[in-house]
PDB file of all heavy atoms in Angstrom:
ATOM      1  N   PRO B 166      48.249 102.793  59.621  1.00 90.00           N
ATOM      2  CA  PRO B 166      47.513 101.720  60.102  1.00 90.00           C
ATOM      3  C   PRO B 166      47.277 101.629  61.607  1.00 90.00           C
ATOM      4  O   PRO B 166      48.191 101.942  62.407  1.00 90.00           O
ATOM      5  CB  PRO B 166      48.426 100.407  59.614  1.00 90.00           C
ATOM      6  CG  PRO B 166      49.872 100.949  59.410  1.00 90.00           C
ATOM      7  CD  PRO B 166      49.606 102.397  59.067  1.00 90.00           C
ATOM      8  N   VAL B 167      46.087 101.298  61.953  1.00 90.00           N
ATOM      9  CA  VAL B 167      45.679 100.832  63.383  1.00 90.00           C
ATOM     10  C   VAL B 167      45.196  99.440  63.257  1.00 90.00           C
ATOM     11  O   VAL B 167      44.047  99.353  62.700  1.00 90.00           O
ATOM     12  CB  VAL B 167      44.669 101.845  63.940  1.00 90.00           C
ATOM     13  CG1 VAL B 167      44.275 101.489  65.332  1.00 90.00           C
ATOM     14  CG2 VAL B 167      45.315 103.355  63.896  1.00 90.00           C
ATOM     15  N   THR B 168      45.801  98.532  63.926  1.00 86.00           N
ATOM     16  CA  THR B 168      45.312  97.120  63.770  1.00 86.00           C
ATOM     17  C   THR B 168      45.219  96.621  65.097  1.00 86.00           C
ATOM     18  O   THR B 168      45.614  97.225  66.019  1.00 86.00           O
ATOM     19  CB  THR B 168      46.345  96.205  62.944  1.00 86.00           C
ATOM     20  OG1 THR B 168      47.554  96.238  63.698  1.00 86.00           O
ATOM     21  CG2 THR B 168      46.543  96.841  61.501  1.00 86.00           C
ATOM     22  N   ASP B 169      44.771  95.345  65.301  1.00 83.00           N
ATOM     23  CA  ASP B 169      44.612  94.728  66.531  1.00 83.00           C
ATOM     24  C   ASP B 169      45.978  94.602  67.271  1.00 83.00           C
ATOM     25  O   ASP B 169      46.057  94.800  68.384  1.00 83.00           O
ATOM     26  CB  ASP B 169      43.950  93.295  66.408  1.00 83.00           C
ATOM     27  CG  ASP B 169      42.454  93.374  66.103  1.00 83.00           C
ATOM     28  OD1 ASP B 169      41.843  94.408  66.141  1.00 83.00           O
ATOM     29  OD2 ASP B 169      41.896  92.302  65.720  1.00 83.00           O
ATOM     30  N   GLU B 170      46.997  94.369  66.453  1.00 80.00           N
ATOM     31  CA  GLU B 170      48.301  94.196  66.982  1.00 80.00           C
ATOM     32  C   GLU B 170      49.060  95.444  67.207  1.00 80.00           C
ATOM     33  O   GLU B 170      49.906  95.636  67.984  1.00 80.00           O
ATOM     34  CB  GLU B 170      49.143  93.304  66.063  1.00 80.00           C
ATOM     35  CG  GLU B 170      48.787  91.845  66.060  1.00 80.00           C
ATOM     36  CD  GLU B 170      47.454  91.619  65.229  1.00 80.00           C
ATOM     37  OE1 GLU B 170      47.120  92.420  64.413  1.00 80.00           O
ATOM     38  OE2 GLU B 170      46.728  90.644  65.652  1.00 80.00           O
ATOM     39  N   LEU B 171      48.684  96.491  66.412  1.00 84.00           N
ATOM     40  CA  LEU B 171      49.239  97.926  66.569  1.00 84.00           C
ATOM     41  C   LEU B 171      48.027  98.757  66.887  1.00 84.00           C
ATOM     42  O   LEU B 171      47.573  99.613  65.923  1.00 84.00           O
ATOM     43  CB  LEU B 171      49.963  98.242  65.349  1.00 84.00           C
ATOM     44  CG  LEU B 171      51.104  97.329  64.959  1.00 84.00           C
ATOM     45  CD1 LEU B 171      51.549  97.645  63.437  1.00 84.00           C
ATOM     46  CD2 LEU B 171      52.306  97.493  65.831  1.00 84.00           C
ATOM     47  N   PRO B 172      47.457  98.791  68.051  1.00 89.00           N
ATOM     48  CA  PRO B 172      46.258  99.421  68.315  1.00 89.00           C
ATOM     49  C   PRO B 172      46.322 100.964  68.566  1.00 89.00           C
ATOM     50  O   PRO B 172      45.391 101.583  68.961  1.00 89.00           O
ATOM     51  CB  PRO B 172      45.764  98.820  69.586  1.00 89.00           C
ATOM     52  CG  PRO B 172      46.996  98.345  70.309  1.00 89.00           C
ATOM     53  CD  PRO B 172      48.057  98.096  69.214  1.00 89.00           C
ATOM     54  N   TYR B 173      47.490 101.595  68.338  1.00 92.00           N
ATOM     55  CA  TYR B 173      47.662 102.896  68.693  1.00 92.00           C
ATOM     56  C   TYR B 173      47.474 103.903  67.566  1.00 92.00           C
ATOM     57  O   TYR B 173      47.757 103.653  66.256  1.00 92.00           O
ATOM     58  CB  TYR B 173      49.133 103.243  69.236  1.00 92.00           C
ATOM     59  CG  TYR B 173      49.386 102.272  70.539  1.00 92.00           C
ATOM     60  CD1 TYR B 173      49.994 101.166  70.360  1.00 92.00           C
ATOM     61  CD2 TYR B 173      48.840 102.513  71.704  1.00 92.00           C
ATOM     62  CE1 TYR B 173      50.337 100.281  71.400  1.00 92.00           C
ATOM     63  CE2 TYR B 173      49.080 101.748  72.816  1.00 92.00           C
ATOM     64  CZ  TYR B 173      49.775 100.588  72.695  1.00 92.00           C
ATOM     65  OH  TYR B 173      50.063  99.816  73.702  1.00 92.00           O
ATOM     66  N   GLN B 174      46.973 105.102  67.954  1.00 92.00           N
ATOM     67  CA  GLN B 174      46.983 106.116  66.894  1.00 92.00           C
ATOM     68  C   GLN B 174      48.321 106.826  66.905  1.00 92.00           C
ATOM     69  O   GLN B 174      49.166 106.665  67.798  1.00 92.00           O
ATOM     70  CB  GLN B 174      45.914 107.259  67.385  1.00 92.00           C
ATOM     71  CG  GLN B 174      44.496 106.660  67.444  1.00 92.00           C
ATOM     72  CD  GLN B 174      43.821 106.547  66.024  1.00 92.00           C
ATOM     73  OE1 GLN B 174      44.395 107.024  65.074  1.00 92.00           O
ATOM     74  NE2 GLN B 174      42.694 105.846  65.935  1.00 92.00           N
ATOM     75  N   TRP B 175      48.545 107.599  65.952  1.00 91.00           N
ATOM     76  CA  TRP B 175      49.865 108.326  65.717  1.00 91.00           C
ATOM     77  C   TRP B 175      50.239 109.205  66.889  1.00 91.00           C
ATOM     78  O   TRP B 175      51.329 109.348  67.354  1.00 91.00           O
ATOM     79  CB  TRP B 175      49.938 109.100  64.324  1.00 91.00           C
ATOM     80  CG  TRP B 175      48.932 110.189  64.426  1.00 91.00           C
ATOM     81  CD1 TRP B 175      47.686 110.164  63.923  1.00 91.00           C
ATOM     82  CD2 TRP B 175      49.101 111.583  64.871  1.00 91.00           C
ATOM     83  NE1 TRP B 175      47.009 111.369  64.076  1.00 91.00           N
ATOM     84  CE2 TRP B 175      47.888 112.261  64.484  1.00 91.00           C
ATOM     85  CE3 TRP B 175      50.234 112.281  65.415  1.00 91.00           C
ATOM     86  CZ2 TRP B 175      47.746 113.638  64.875  1.00 91.00           C
ATOM     87  CZ3 TRP B 175      50.004 113.630  65.660  1.00 91.00           C
ATOM     88  CH2 TRP B 175      48.922 114.278  65.449  1.00 91.00           C
ATOM     89  N   TYR B 176      49.100 109.709  67.516  1.00 94.00           N
ATOM     90  CA  TYR B 176      49.358 110.589  68.633  1.00 94.00           C
ATOM     91  C   TYR B 176      49.465 109.992  69.970  1.00 94.00           C
ATOM     92  O   TYR B 176      49.874 110.759  70.956  1.00 94.00           O
ATOM     93  CB  TYR B 176      48.194 111.793  68.629  1.00 94.00           C
ATOM     94  CG  TYR B 176      46.768 111.162  68.681  1.00 94.00           C
ATOM     95  CD1 TYR B 176      46.271 110.636  69.772  1.00 94.00           C
ATOM     96  CD2 TYR B 176      46.121 111.032  67.440  1.00 94.00           C
ATOM     97  CE1 TYR B 176      44.936 110.112  69.743  1.00 94.00           C
ATOM     98  CE2 TYR B 176      44.869 110.460  67.352  1.00 94.00           C
ATOM     99  CZ  TYR B 176      44.268 110.011  68.573  1.00 94.00           C
ATOM    100  OH  TYR B 176      43.026 109.502  68.531  1.00 94.00           O
ATOM    101  N   ASN B 177      49.315 108.723  70.204  1.00 93.00           N
ATOM    102  CA  ASN B 177      49.498 108.195  71.439  1.00 93.00           C
ATOM    103  C   ASN B 177      50.293 106.833  71.429  1.00 93.00           C
ATOM    104  O   ASN B 177      50.212 106.123  72.411  1.00 93.00           O
ATOM    105  CB  ASN B 177      48.019 108.004  72.046  1.00 93.00           C
ATOM    106  CG  ASN B 177      47.261 106.961  71.295  1.00 93.00           C
ATOM    107  OD1 ASN B 177      47.709 106.253  70.428  1.00 93.00           O
ATOM    108  ND2 ASN B 177      45.976 106.711  71.729  1.00 93.00           N
ATOM    109  N   THR B 178      50.997 106.517  70.452  1.00 91.00           N
ATOM    110  CA  THR B 178      51.678 105.402  70.362  1.00 91.00           C
ATOM    111  C   THR B 178      52.951 105.542  71.168  1.00 91.00           C
ATOM    112  O   THR B 178      53.641 106.453  71.116  1.00 91.00           O
ATOM    113  CB  THR B 178      52.006 104.991  68.915  1.00 91.00           C
ATOM    114  OG1 THR B 178      52.732 103.746  68.925  1.00 91.00           O
ATOM    115  CG2 THR B 178      52.821 106.022  68.084  1.00 91.00           C
ATOM    116  N   PRO B 179      53.338 104.406  71.917  1.00 89.00           N
ATOM    117  CA  PRO B 179      54.657 104.490  72.609  1.00 89.00           C
ATOM    118  C   PRO B 179      55.830 104.106  71.695  1.00 89.00           C
ATOM    119  O   PRO B 179      56.939 104.104  72.001  1.00 89.00           O
ATOM    120  CB  PRO B 179      54.405 103.318  73.650  1.00 89.00           C
ATOM    121  CG  PRO B 179      53.431 102.518  73.101  1.00 89.00           C
ATOM    122  CD  PRO B 179      52.574 103.195  72.232  1.00 89.00           C
ATOM    123  N   ASN B 180      55.477 103.627  70.498  1.00 89.00           N
ATOM    124  CA  ASN B 180      56.456 103.201  69.428  1.00 89.00           C
ATOM    125  C   ASN B 180      57.161 104.388  68.875  1.00 89.00           C
ATOM    126  O   ASN B 180      56.384 105.227  68.326  1.00 89.00           O
ATOM    127  CB  ASN B 180      55.827 102.370  68.386  1.00 89.00           C
ATOM    128  CG  ASN B 180      55.229 101.038  69.073  1.00 89.00           C
ATOM    129  OD1 ASN B 180      55.751 100.454  69.957  1.00 89.00           O
ATOM    130  ND2 ASN B 180      54.086 100.610  68.467  1.00 89.00           N
ATOM    131  N   LEU B 181      58.387 104.364  68.976  1.00 90.00           N
ATOM    132  CA  LEU B 181      59.137 105.467  68.314  1.00 90.00           C
ATOM    133  C   LEU B 181      59.684 105.070  66.979  1.00 90.00           C
ATOM    134  O   LEU B 181      60.069 105.889  66.220  1.00 90.00           O
ATOM    135  CB  LEU B 181      60.348 105.864  69.258  1.00 90.00           C
ATOM    136  CG  LEU B 181      59.935 106.358  70.609  1.00 90.00           C
ATOM    137  CD1 LEU B 181      61.272 106.617  71.433  1.00 90.00           C
ATOM    138  CD2 LEU B 181      59.130 107.609  70.527  1.00 90.00           C
ATOM    139  N   ARG B 182      59.917 103.788  66.820  1.00 89.00           N
ATOM    140  CA  ARG B 182      60.572 103.192  65.569  1.00 89.00           C
ATOM    141  C   ARG B 182      59.502 102.271  64.917  1.00 89.00           C
ATOM    142  O   ARG B 182      58.923 101.493  65.574  1.00 89.00           O
ATOM    143  CB  ARG B 182      61.807 102.524  65.932  1.00 89.00           C
ATOM    144  CG  ARG B 182      62.663 103.211  66.914  1.00 89.00           C
ATOM    145  CD  ARG B 182      63.385 104.347  66.115  1.00 89.00           C
ATOM    146  NE  ARG B 182      64.130 105.270  67.008  1.00 89.00           N
ATOM    147  CZ  ARG B 182      64.854 106.177  66.603  1.00 89.00           C
ATOM    148  NH1 ARG B 182      65.118 106.342  65.378  1.00 89.00           N
ATOM    149  NH2 ARG B 182      65.487 107.073  67.426  1.00 89.00           N
ATOM    150  N   PHE B 183      59.412 102.480  63.547  1.00 90.00           N
ATOM    151  CA  PHE B 183      58.616 101.707  62.822  1.00 90.00           C
ATOM    152  C   PHE B 183      59.431 100.875  61.713  1.00 90.00           C
ATOM    153  O   PHE B 183      60.143 101.454  60.944  1.00 90.00           O
ATOM    154  CB  PHE B 183      57.563 102.518  62.057  1.00 90.00           C
ATOM    155  CG  PHE B 183      56.743 103.278  63.071  1.00 90.00           C
ATOM    156  CD1 PHE B 183      57.116 104.582  63.466  1.00 90.00           C
ATOM    157  CD2 PHE B 183      55.708 102.758  63.703  1.00 90.00           C
ATOM    158  CE1 PHE B 183      56.538 105.335  64.359  1.00 90.00           C
ATOM    159  CE2 PHE B 183      54.886 103.459  64.711  1.00 90.00           C
ATOM    160  CZ  PHE B 183      55.344 104.702  64.942  1.00 90.00           C
ATOM    161  N   LEU B 184      59.439  99.536  61.893  1.00 94.00           N
ATOM    162  CA  LEU B 184      60.269  98.678  61.014  1.00 94.00           C
ATOM    163  C   LEU B 184      59.592  97.414  60.654  1.00 94.00           C
ATOM    164  O   LEU B 184      58.657  97.073  61.311  1.00 94.00           O
ATOM    165  CB  LEU B 184      61.686  98.532  61.666  1.00 94.00           C
ATOM    166  CG  LEU B 184      61.660  97.482  62.869  1.00 94.00           C
ATOM    167  CD1 LEU B 184      63.093  97.228  63.053  1.00 94.00           C
ATOM    168  CD2 LEU B 184      61.068  97.965  64.146  1.00 94.00           C
ATOM    169  N   SER B 185      60.044  96.863  59.618  1.00 96.00           N
ATOM    170  CA  SER B 185      59.626  95.510  59.147  1.00 96.00           C
ATOM    171  C   SER B 185      60.702  94.573  59.450  1.00 96.00           C
ATOM    172  O   SER B 185      61.799  94.841  59.800  1.00 96.00           O
ATOM    173  CB  SER B 185      59.370  95.546  57.625  1.00 96.00           C
ATOM    174  OG  SER B 185      60.572  95.628  56.917  1.00 96.00           O
ATOM    175  N   LEU B 186      60.286  93.332  59.237  1.00 97.00           N
ATOM    176  CA  LEU B 186      61.234  92.202  59.508  1.00 97.00           C
ATOM    177  C   LEU B 186      62.415  92.311  58.556  1.00 97.00           C
ATOM    178  O   LEU B 186      63.550  92.054  58.907  1.00 97.00           O
ATOM    179  CB  LEU B 186      60.510  90.854  59.279  1.00 97.00           C
ATOM    180  CG  LEU B 186      59.237  90.613  60.270  1.00 97.00           C
ATOM    181  CD1 LEU B 186      58.657  89.300  60.018  1.00 97.00           C
ATOM    182  CD2 LEU B 186      59.565  90.824  61.637  1.00 97.00           C
ATOM    183  N   LYS B 187      62.116  92.758  57.322  1.00 97.00           N
ATOM    184  CA  LYS B 187      63.170  92.903  56.299  1.00 97.00           C
ATOM    185  C   LYS B 187      64.119  93.999  56.651  1.00 97.00           C
ATOM    186  O   LYS B 187      65.329  93.851  56.555  1.00 97.00           O
ATOM    187  CB  LYS B 187      62.366  93.240  54.974  1.00 97.00           C
ATOM    188  CG  LYS B 187      63.228  92.875  53.762  1.00 97.00           C
ATOM    189  CD  LYS B 187      62.618  93.409  52.509  1.00 97.00           C
ATOM    190  CE  LYS B 187      61.979  92.256  51.703  1.00 97.00           C
ATOM    191  NZ  LYS B 187      61.300  92.781  50.442  1.00 97.00           N
TER     192      LYS B 187
END
Side-chain angles (χ1 to χ4, degrees):
Chain B
V167 177
T168 64
D169 288 346
E170 288 73 26
L171 301 164
Y173 303 100
Q174 296 285 350
W175 63 271
Y176 48 81
N177 63 9
T178 178
N180 299 321
L181 301 176
R182 308 287 169 173
F183 303 91
L184 74 166
S185 70
L186 304 179
K187 204 188 256 181

